[in-house]
Amino acid sequence: MEKITQLDKRKVEGFLKSGEIEEVPYFVEEYLKSMGSECRNSILFRQYLVMDMYFIVTGFLEDLGSGTEVIEKPFKDSREMNIQISSLELTKGYIENIFLKAMGIRDEVVAKHYNGIINRAKEYIKEHYSEEELSLNQVAASVYISPSHFSTVFSQKTGQTFIKYLTDMRMNKAKELLKCTYLRTSEIGYMVGYKDPHYFSYLFKKTQNCTPKQYRSS
């Protein structure tokens, strides 16, 4: 059983970190195939494999800062272990199950983390939208992640690009000012982040299908 020492634990850890949940059955199948039929058909190997996968998964969850109670221990009693290793299919089933649970927790942790980032970014945009120079880079720096990563996460979480989100916020504020004040269009444009009144009017018409004057009179 020389091949037991050749298990590629890094491959499993990498998959738990970045793999997709729907890929779990395929990954487990291919991982076991790479072990060779002699190993797969050995009860001793399957026992080693089940325990190894358990410790990799629980270690992964601990690194996430999550509890490990949801992961079923394969060795809580000898009867349970014997069931898990009695056939290759049951061994695969156990591994798939603990992978699915771990990756589900991973996705929850990541979603919570990024939700917090996006909420902080939205607050920053709300406070600074009137500044003409406000940029994606500036907002990304405020939440301490790279601009490219922030752009991807922001689009995924809001369903809008950063520019679209910022423009919508500015236009909504402009419409509010057009309805509720007697300020000139140029003044309103300046207040929502556009120093050039012509550009503000152009953008307003492009996004709202009418000029600021038409919006106010309607």
Side-chain angles (χ1 to χ4, degrees), residues 115-140:
N115 285 343
I117 285 176
I118 296 306
N119 287 337
R120 293 198 304 276
K122 285 179 176 179
E123 281 300 312
Y124 188 88
I125 295 168
K126 188 177 179 181
E127 290 172 11
H128 299 272
Y129 74 90
S130 62
E131 299 169 12
E132 187 179 38
E133 66 277 8
L134 182 64
S135 66
L136 182 146
N137 286 8
Q138 188 178 332
V139 179

PDB file of all heavy atoms in Angstrom, residues 115-140:
ATOM      1  N   ASN A 115     -20.589  40.801   1.940  1.00  0.00           N
ATOM      2  CA  ASN A 115     -21.752  41.656   2.209  1.00  0.00           C
ATOM      3  C   ASN A 115     -21.346  42.845   3.065  1.00  0.00           C
ATOM      4  O   ASN A 115     -21.794  43.972   2.843  1.00  0.00           O
ATOM      5  CB  ASN A 115     -22.856  40.861   2.907  1.00  0.00           C
ATOM      6  CG  ASN A 115     -23.594  39.938   1.952  1.00  0.00           C
ATOM      7  OD1 ASN A 115     -23.512  40.101   0.737  1.00  0.00           O
ATOM      8  ND2 ASN A 115     -24.303  38.960   2.479  1.00  0.00           N
ATOM      9  N   GLY A 116     -20.480  42.568   4.047  1.00  0.00           N
ATOM     10  CA  GLY A 116     -19.990  43.648   4.902  1.00  0.00           C
ATOM     11  C   GLY A 116     -19.177  44.654   4.116  1.00  0.00           C
ATOM     12  O   GLY A 116     -19.319  45.871   4.301  1.00  0.00           O
ATOM     13  N   ILE A 117     -18.336  44.169   3.215  1.00  0.00           N
ATOM     14  CA  ILE A 117     -17.514  45.049   2.386  1.00  0.00           C
ATOM     15  C   ILE A 117     -18.397  45.933   1.505  1.00  0.00           C
ATOM     16  O   ILE A 117     -18.194  47.147   1.406  1.00  0.00           O
ATOM     17  CB  ILE A 117     -16.543  44.213   1.512  1.00  0.00           C
ATOM     18  CG1 ILE A 117     -15.405  43.669   2.379  1.00  0.00           C
ATOM     19  CG2 ILE A 117     -15.989  45.045   0.353  1.00  0.00           C
ATOM     20  CD1 ILE A 117     -14.447  42.755   1.650  1.00  0.00           C
ATOM     21  N   ILE A 118     -19.383  45.321   0.850  1.00  0.00           N
ATOM     22  CA  ILE A 118     -20.249  46.082  -0.051  1.00  0.00           C
ATOM     23  C   ILE A 118     -21.086  47.094   0.716  1.00  0.00           C
ATOM     24  O   ILE A 118     -21.290  48.221   0.249  1.00  0.00           O
ATOM     25  CB  ILE A 118     -21.149  45.127  -0.867  1.00  0.00           C
ATOM     26  CG1 ILE A 118     -20.300  44.248  -1.776  1.00  0.00           C
ATOM     27  CG2 ILE A 118     -22.159  45.914  -1.690  1.00  0.00           C
ATOM     28  CD1 ILE A 118     -19.349  44.999  -2.691  1.00  0.00           C
ATOM     29  N   ASN A 119     -21.561  46.732   1.882  1.00  0.00           N
ATOM     30  CA  ASN A 119     -22.337  47.685   2.695  1.00  0.00           C
ATOM     31  C   ASN A 119     -21.486  48.894   3.091  1.00  0.00           C
ATOM     32  O   ASN A 119     -21.959  50.038   3.063  1.00  0.00           O
ATOM     33  CB  ASN A 119     -22.894  47.003   3.946  1.00  0.00           C
ATOM     34  CG  ASN A 119     -24.038  46.062   3.617  1.00  0.00           C
ATOM     35  OD1 ASN A 119     -24.695  46.207   2.581  1.00  0.00           O
ATOM     36  ND2 ASN A 119     -24.290  45.092   4.481  1.00  0.00           N
ATOM     37  N   ARG A 120     -20.217  48.635   3.444  1.00  0.00           N
ATOM     38  CA  ARG A 120     -19.316  49.742   3.792  1.00  0.00           C
ATOM     39  C   ARG A 120     -19.025  50.607   2.563  1.00  0.00           C
ATOM     40  O   ARG A 120     -18.958  51.828   2.654  1.00  0.00           O
ATOM     41  CB  ARG A 120     -18.017  49.220   4.401  1.00  0.00           C
ATOM     42  CG  ARG A 120     -18.191  48.555   5.756  1.00  0.00           C
ATOM     43  CD  ARG A 120     -16.883  48.455   6.526  1.00  0.00           C
ATOM     44  NE  ARG A 120     -15.841  47.761   5.804  1.00  0.00           N
ATOM     45  CZ  ARG A 120     -15.687  46.439   5.761  1.00  0.00           C
ATOM     46  NH1 ARG A 120     -16.555  45.661   6.408  1.00  0.00           N
ATOM     47  NH2 ARG A 120     -14.698  45.886   5.114  1.00  0.00           N
ATOM     48  N   ALA A 121     -18.881  49.948   1.413  1.00  0.00           N
ATOM     49  CA  ALA A 121     -18.626  50.677   0.169  1.00  0.00           C
ATOM     50  C   ALA A 121     -19.819  51.566  -0.181  1.00  0.00           C
ATOM     51  O   ALA A 121     -19.650  52.724  -0.590  1.00  0.00           O
ATOM     52  CB  ALA A 121     -18.337  49.702  -0.970  1.00  0.00           C
ATOM     53  N   LYS A 122     -21.014  51.039  -0.014  1.00  0.00           N
ATOM     54  CA  LYS A 122     -22.220  51.827  -0.310  1.00  0.00           C
ATOM     55  C   LYS A 122     -22.317  53.053   0.603  1.00  0.00           C
ATOM     56  O   LYS A 122     -22.724  54.138   0.163  1.00  0.00           O
ATOM     57  CB  LYS A 122     -23.469  50.959  -0.151  1.00  0.00           C
ATOM     58  CG  LYS A 122     -23.681  49.964  -1.288  1.00  0.00           C
ATOM     59  CD  LYS A 122     -24.937  49.135  -1.039  1.00  0.00           C
ATOM     60  CE  LYS A 122     -25.238  48.204  -2.188  1.00  0.00           C
ATOM     61  NZ  LYS A 122     -26.449  47.388  -1.935  1.00  0.00           N
ATOM     62  N   GLU A 123     -21.969  52.869   1.858  1.00  0.00           N
ATOM     63  CA  GLU A 123     -22.000  53.997   2.789  1.00  0.00           C
ATOM     64  C   GLU A 123     -20.988  55.064   2.380  1.00  0.00           C
ATOM     65  O   GLU A 123     -21.260  56.266   2.451  1.00  0.00           O
ATOM     66  CB  GLU A 123     -21.688  53.515   4.217  1.00  0.00           C
ATOM     67  CG  GLU A 123     -22.855  52.851   4.920  1.00  0.00           C
ATOM     68  CD  GLU A 123     -24.054  53.793   5.048  1.00  0.00           C
ATOM     69  OE1 GLU A 123     -23.858  54.960   5.472  1.00  0.00           O
ATOM     70  OE2 GLU A 123     -25.176  53.389   4.699  1.00  0.00           O
ATOM     71  N   TYR A 124     -19.821  54.603   1.935  1.00  0.00           N
ATOM     72  CA  TYR A 124     -18.779  55.538   1.499  1.00  0.00           C
ATOM     73  C   TYR A 124     -19.251  56.312   0.264  1.00  0.00           C
ATOM     74  O   TYR A 124     -19.071  57.529   0.181  1.00  0.00           O
ATOM     75  CB  TYR A 124     -17.493  54.767   1.185  1.00  0.00           C
ATOM     76  CG  TYR A 124     -16.311  55.668   0.915  1.00  0.00           C
ATOM     77  CD1 TYR A 124     -15.500  56.103   1.957  1.00  0.00           C
ATOM     78  CD2 TYR A 124     -16.012  56.099  -0.379  1.00  0.00           C
ATOM     79  CE1 TYR A 124     -14.413  56.937   1.718  1.00  0.00           C
ATOM     80  CE2 TYR A 124     -14.942  56.929  -0.632  1.00  0.00           C
ATOM     81  CZ  TYR A 124     -14.140  57.345   0.417  1.00  0.00           C
ATOM     82  OH  TYR A 124     -13.064  58.190   0.181  1.00  0.00           O
ATOM     83  N   ILE A 125     -19.859  55.604  -0.681  1.00  0.00           N
ATOM     84  CA  ILE A 125     -20.375  56.256  -1.895  1.00  0.00           C
ATOM     85  C   ILE A 125     -21.448  57.282  -1.526  1.00  0.00           C
ATOM     86  O   ILE A 125     -21.486  58.395  -2.065  1.00  0.00           O
ATOM     87  CB  ILE A 125     -20.936  55.209  -2.883  1.00  0.00           C
ATOM     88  CG1 ILE A 125     -19.808  54.306  -3.393  1.00  0.00           C
ATOM     89  CG2 ILE A 125     -21.625  55.889  -4.061  1.00  0.00           C
ATOM     90  CD1 ILE A 125     -20.300  53.069  -4.131  1.00  0.00           C
ATOM     91  N   LYS A 126     -22.317  56.906  -0.595  1.00  0.00           N
ATOM     92  CA  LYS A 126     -23.401  57.808  -0.162  1.00  0.00           C
ATOM     93  C   LYS A 126     -22.839  59.099   0.441  1.00  0.00           C
ATOM     94  O   LYS A 126     -23.395  60.178   0.248  1.00  0.00           O
ATOM     95  CB  LYS A 126     -24.268  57.076   0.866  1.00  0.00           C
ATOM     96  CG  LYS A 126     -25.523  57.812   1.260  1.00  0.00           C
ATOM     97  CD  LYS A 126     -26.350  56.971   2.230  1.00  0.00           C
ATOM     98  CE  LYS A 126     -27.606  57.680   2.684  1.00  0.00           C
ATOM     99  NZ  LYS A 126     -28.379  56.854   3.644  1.00  0.00           N
ATOM    100  N   GLU A 127     -21.729  58.978   1.145  1.00  0.00           N
ATOM    101  CA  GLU A 127     -21.122  60.143   1.795  1.00  0.00           C
ATOM    102  C   GLU A 127     -20.330  61.012   0.817  1.00  0.00           C
ATOM    103  O   GLU A 127     -20.162  62.213   1.040  1.00  0.00           O
ATOM    104  CB  GLU A 127     -20.192  59.681   2.924  1.00  0.00           C
ATOM    105  CG  GLU A 127     -20.922  59.085   4.119  1.00  0.00           C
ATOM    106  CD  GLU A 127     -19.966  58.458   5.128  1.00  0.00           C
ATOM    107  OE1 GLU A 127     -18.738  58.684   4.996  1.00  0.00           O
ATOM    108  OE2 GLU A 127     -20.441  57.735   6.026  1.00  0.00           O
ATOM    109  N   HIS A 128     -19.849  60.398  -0.278  1.00  0.00           N
ATOM    110  CA  HIS A 128     -18.924  61.118  -1.165  1.00  0.00           C
ATOM    111  C   HIS A 128     -19.409  61.263  -2.609  1.00  0.00           C
ATOM    112  O   HIS A 128     -18.649  61.723  -3.458  1.00  0.00           O
ATOM    113  CB  HIS A 128     -17.563  60.412  -1.166  1.00  0.00           C
ATOM    114  CG  HIS A 128     -16.894  60.367   0.174  1.00  0.00           C
ATOM    115  ND1 HIS A 128     -16.075  61.376   0.635  1.00  0.00           N
ATOM    116  CD2 HIS A 128     -16.938  59.434   1.167  1.00  0.00           C
ATOM    117  CE1 HIS A 128     -15.630  61.068   1.849  1.00  0.00           C
ATOM    118  NE2 HIS A 128     -16.141  59.895   2.202  1.00  0.00           N
ATOM    119  N   TYR A 129     -20.649  60.886  -2.898  1.00  0.00           N
ATOM    120  CA  TYR A 129     -21.121  60.898  -4.290  1.00  0.00           C
ATOM    121  C   TYR A 129     -21.054  62.280  -4.927  1.00  0.00           C
ATOM    122  O   TYR A 129     -20.956  62.431  -6.145  1.00  0.00           O
ATOM    123  CB  TYR A 129     -22.564  60.370  -4.380  1.00  0.00           C
ATOM    124  CG  TYR A 129     -23.613  61.322  -3.875  1.00  0.00           C
ATOM    125  CD1 TYR A 129     -24.214  62.248  -4.731  1.00  0.00           C
ATOM    126  CD2 TYR A 129     -23.990  61.327  -2.537  1.00  0.00           C
ATOM    127  CE1 TYR A 129     -25.165  63.145  -4.273  1.00  0.00           C
ATOM    128  CE2 TYR A 129     -24.928  62.231  -2.072  1.00  0.00           C
ATOM    129  CZ  TYR A 129     -25.511  63.130  -2.928  1.00  0.00           C
ATOM    130  OH  TYR A 129     -26.436  64.024  -2.474  1.00  0.00           O
ATOM    131  N   SER A 130     -21.119  63.333  -4.110  1.00  0.00           N
ATOM    132  CA  SER A 130     -21.123  64.696  -4.650  1.00  0.00           C
ATOM    133  C   SER A 130     -19.729  65.159  -5.077  1.00  0.00           C
ATOM    134  O   SER A 130     -19.584  66.227  -5.674  1.00  0.00           O
ATOM    135  CB  SER A 130     -21.682  65.669  -3.615  1.00  0.00           C
ATOM    136  OG  SER A 130     -20.875  65.675  -2.458  1.00  0.00           O
ATOM    137  N   GLU A 131     -18.703  64.357  -4.774  1.00  0.00           N
ATOM    138  CA  GLU A 131     -17.338  64.714  -5.157  1.00  0.00           C
ATOM    139  C   GLU A 131     -17.076  64.221  -6.578  1.00  0.00           C
ATOM    140  O   GLU A 131     -17.135  63.023  -6.845  1.00  0.00           O
ATOM    141  CB  GLU A 131     -16.337  64.092  -4.177  1.00  0.00           C
ATOM    142  CG  GLU A 131     -16.530  64.574  -2.746  1.00  0.00           C
ATOM    143  CD  GLU A 131     -15.733  63.761  -1.739  1.00  0.00           C
ATOM    144  OE1 GLU A 131     -14.852  62.979  -2.176  1.00  0.00           O
ATOM    145  OE2 GLU A 131     -15.981  63.898  -0.535  1.00  0.00           O
ATOM    146  N   GLU A 132     -16.772  65.136  -7.480  1.00  0.00           N
ATOM    147  CA  GLU A 132     -16.606  64.775  -8.890  1.00  0.00           C
ATOM    148  C   GLU A 132     -15.512  63.730  -9.090  1.00  0.00           C
ATOM    149  O   GLU A 132     -15.610  62.865  -9.952  1.00  0.00           O
ATOM    150  CB  GLU A 132     -16.284  66.019  -9.712  1.00  0.00           C
ATOM    151  CG  GLU A 132     -16.265  65.730 -11.209  1.00  0.00           C
ATOM    152  CD  GLU A 132     -15.971  66.971 -12.026  1.00  0.00           C
ATOM    153  OE1 GLU A 132     -15.129  67.779 -11.579  1.00  0.00           O
ATOM    154  OE2 GLU A 132     -16.590  67.133 -13.092  1.00  0.00           O
ATOM    155  N   GLU A 133     -14.479  63.781  -8.283  1.00  0.00           N
ATOM    156  CA  GLU A 133     -13.332  62.885  -8.461  1.00  0.00           C
ATOM    157  C   GLU A 133     -13.531  61.499  -7.836  1.00  0.00           C
ATOM    158  O   GLU A 133     -12.641  60.650  -7.885  1.00  0.00           O
ATOM    159  CB  GLU A 133     -12.058  63.526  -7.902  1.00  0.00           C
ATOM    160  CG  GLU A 133     -12.034  63.736  -6.387  1.00  0.00           C
ATOM    161  CD  GLU A 133     -12.739  65.016  -5.934  1.00  0.00           C
ATOM    162  OE1 GLU A 133     -13.381  65.678  -6.772  1.00  0.00           O
ATOM    163  OE2 GLU A 133     -12.667  65.322  -4.735  1.00  0.00           O
ATOM    164  N   LEU A 134     -14.694  61.255  -7.233  1.00  0.00           N
ATOM    165  CA  LEU A 134     -14.934  59.943  -6.623  1.00  0.00           C
ATOM    166  C   LEU A 134     -14.747  58.845  -7.671  1.00  0.00           C
ATOM    167  O   LEU A 134     -15.326  58.886  -8.746  1.00  0.00           O
ATOM    168  CB  LEU A 134     -16.351  59.872  -6.057  1.00  0.00           C
ATOM    169  CG  LEU A 134     -16.712  58.547  -5.346  1.00  0.00           C
ATOM    170  CD1 LEU A 134     -15.864  58.343  -4.105  1.00  0.00           C
ATOM    171  CD2 LEU A 134     -18.193  58.517  -4.987  1.00  0.00           C
ATOM    172  N   SER A 135     -13.931  57.846  -7.336  1.00  0.00           N
ATOM    173  CA  SER A 135     -13.607  56.791  -8.305  1.00  0.00           C
ATOM    174  C   SER A 135     -13.700  55.420  -7.667  1.00  0.00           C
ATOM    175  O   SER A 135     -13.730  55.277  -6.438  1.00  0.00           O
ATOM    176  CB  SER A 135     -12.185  56.987  -8.830  1.00  0.00           C
ATOM    177  OG  SER A 135     -11.244  56.784  -7.779  1.00  0.00           O
ATOM    178  N   LEU A 136     -13.717  54.426  -8.528  1.00  0.00           N
ATOM    179  CA  LEU A 136     -13.718  53.040  -8.059  1.00  0.00           C
ATOM    180  C   LEU A 136     -12.483  52.773  -7.202  1.00  0.00           C
ATOM    181  O   LEU A 136     -12.578  52.117  -6.158  1.00  0.00           O
ATOM    182  CB  LEU A 136     -13.765  52.089  -9.258  1.00  0.00           C
ATOM    183  CG  LEU A 136     -13.826  50.578  -8.944  1.00  0.00           C
ATOM    184  CD1 LEU A 136     -14.675  49.856  -9.991  1.00  0.00           C
ATOM    185  CD2 LEU A 136     -12.435  49.952  -8.902  1.00  0.00           C
ATOM    186  N   ASN A 137     -11.335  53.272  -7.634  1.00  0.00           N
ATOM    187  CA  ASN A 137     -10.094  53.065  -6.873  1.00  0.00           C
ATOM    188  C   ASN A 137     -10.197  53.636  -5.462  1.00  0.00           C
ATOM    189  O   ASN A 137      -9.727  53.026  -4.489  1.00  0.00           O
ATOM    190  CB  ASN A 137      -8.911  53.720  -7.599  1.00  0.00           C
ATOM    191  CG  ASN A 137      -8.486  52.959  -8.824  1.00  0.00           C
ATOM    192  OD1 ASN A 137      -9.150  52.006  -9.237  1.00  0.00           O
ATOM    193  ND2 ASN A 137      -7.385  53.365  -9.437  1.00  0.00           N
ATOM    194  N   GLN A 138     -10.814  54.790  -5.364  1.00  0.00           N
ATOM    195  CA  GLN A 138     -10.968  55.449  -4.061  1.00  0.00           C
ATOM    196  C   GLN A 138     -11.874  54.633  -3.140  1.00  0.00           C
ATOM    197  O   GLN A 138     -11.556  54.437  -1.963  1.00  0.00           O
ATOM    198  CB  GLN A 138     -11.555  56.841  -4.284  1.00  0.00           C
ATOM    199  CG  GLN A 138     -11.608  57.717  -3.047  1.00  0.00           C
ATOM    200  CD  GLN A 138     -12.169  59.093  -3.380  1.00  0.00           C
ATOM    201  OE1 GLN A 138     -12.049  59.575  -4.507  1.00  0.00           O
ATOM    202  NE2 GLN A 138     -12.810  59.720  -2.402  1.00  0.00           N
ATOM    203  N   VAL A 139     -12.973  54.139  -3.674  1.00  0.00           N
ATOM    204  CA  VAL A 139     -13.906  53.352  -2.860  1.00  0.00           C
ATOM    205  C   VAL A 139     -13.263  52.016  -2.471  1.00  0.00           C
ATOM    206  O   VAL A 139     -13.395  51.566  -1.331  1.00  0.00           O
ATOM    207  CB  VAL A 139     -15.238  53.120  -3.604  1.00  0.00           C
ATOM    208  CG1 VAL A 139     -16.179  52.286  -2.754  1.00  0.00           C
ATOM    209  CG2 VAL A 139     -15.892  54.454  -3.942  1.00  0.00           C
ATOM    210  N   ALA A 140     -12.559  51.391  -3.424  1.00  0.00           N
ATOM    211  CA  ALA A 140     -11.881  50.116  -3.134  1.00  0.00           C
ATOM    212  C   ALA A 140     -10.862  50.295  -2.009  1.00  0.00           C
ATOM    213  O   ALA A 140     -10.758  49.456  -1.108  1.00  0.00           O
ATOM    214  CB  ALA A 140     -11.193  49.583  -4.395  1.00  0.00           C
TER     215      ALA A 140
END
